[in-house]
């Protein structure tokens, strides 16, 4: 049964896997490796390792988690679009947040799946993005459409991101080269748009939506 025609040798899809949880990464690599036409050629555990690994291993498809140490998979996807345009990006995440989907599409990702699906579905998605299709988790697509775009400006996102770990207004101002009054304005605008009471709630809310 497994004799292959010499006229049409099977072409393996070369896949890079970026996932920070070692057990999950190992399981995915093992399961995908069982597919006859898929070969996992590189595995990385941090976001900043993605671009160098892609340039070295030259995969057809990069399977990226979003929440990675060092750098988010969404930022790496945007870099890959410029530095390795031939590599298709498939985002695989634990958190199906509507804002993530919108940002993934803006970063040039060809697909977006939530991790709880069966591996056969993932293997099929890898083949489909390689064939030029866009593959999006249907429930997430519906949620993203109903949620609408992020109301936060780039600067409001910068200020919220800089607010974590108990940073003071003057810390944020120094880090972003802004005046303290400008930082306060951005914070109060972001708090208003997220419908929260303070900046820590605003950060939490924006993260839950996938806006940060």
């Amino acid at each position: 049964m497994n004799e292959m025609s010499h006229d049409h040798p099977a072409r393996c899809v070369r896949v890079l896997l970026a996932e920070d949880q070692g057990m999950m990464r190992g399981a995915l690599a093992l399961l995908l490796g069982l597919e006859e036409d898929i070969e996992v050629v590189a595995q990385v555990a941090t976001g900043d390792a993605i671009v160098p690994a892609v340039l070295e291993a030259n995969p057809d498809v990069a399977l990226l988690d979003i929440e990675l140490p060092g750098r988010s998979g969404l930022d790496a996807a945007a870099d890959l679009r410029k530095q390795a345009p031939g590599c298709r990006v498939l985002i695989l995440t634990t958190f199906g947040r509507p804002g993530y989907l919108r940002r993934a599409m803006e970063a040039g990702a060809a697909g977006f799946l939530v991790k709880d699906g069966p591996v056969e579905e993932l293997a099929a998605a890898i083949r489909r993005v390689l064939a030029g299709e866009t593959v999006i988790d249907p429930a997430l697509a519906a949620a993203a459409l109903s949620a609408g775009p992020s109301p936060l400006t780039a600067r409001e996102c910068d200020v919220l991101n800089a607010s974590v770990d108990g940073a003071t207004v003057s810390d944020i101002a120094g880090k972003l080269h802004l005046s303290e009054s400008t930082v306060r304005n951005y914070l109060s605008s972001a708090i208003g748009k997220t419908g929260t009471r303070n900046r820590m709630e605003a950060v939490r809310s924006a993260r839950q939506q996938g806006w940060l």
Side-chain angles (χ1 to χ4, degrees), residues 8-115:
H8 301 286
R11 156 104 166 73
C12 261
V13 182
R14 296 166 59 80
V15 174
L16 169 134
L17 193 52
E19 161 66 58
D20 62 328
Q21 293 173 13
M23 193 178 283
M24 169 75 83
R25 188 173 65 250
L28 274 176
L30 189 68
L31 290 166
L32 287 173
L34 294 174
E35 300 286 325
E36 284 184 8
D37 59 339
I38 293 175
E39 181 188 1
V40 177
V41 295
Q43 298 179 46
V44 298
T46 62
D48 34 24
I50 292 170
V51 174
V54 165
L55 295 175
E56 186 180 333
N58 199 24
D60 302 302
V61 177
L63 201 55
L64 310 183
D65 192 4
I66 291 180
E67 304 196 342
L68 292 166
R71 198 134 197 272
S72 107
L74 294 175
D75 290 339
D79 285 349
L80 288 178
R81 182 165 56 173
K82 297 188 199 90
Q83 297 186 44
C87 177
R88 304 280 280 166
V89 171
L90 186 56
I91 299 286
L92 187 65
T93 180
T94 312
F95 306 105
R97 292 174 179 158
Y100 278 170
L101 174 58
R102 196 173 286 272
R103 286 166 60 200
M105 295 298 105
E106 285 167 1
F112 194 106
L113 295 177
V114 179
K115 275 183 199 170

Side-chain angles (χ1 to χ4, degrees), residues 116-157:
D116 57 7
V119 75
E120 293 78 17
E121 219 169 81
L122 178 56
I126 288 170
R127 295 181 192 108
R128 285 173 61 194
V129 298
L130 196 64
E133 291 182 51
T134 299
V135 183
I136 296 171
D137 181 273
L140 192 59
L145 283 172
S146 63
S150 168
L152 300 172
T153 65
R155 263 313 192 194
E156 286 162 359
C157 288

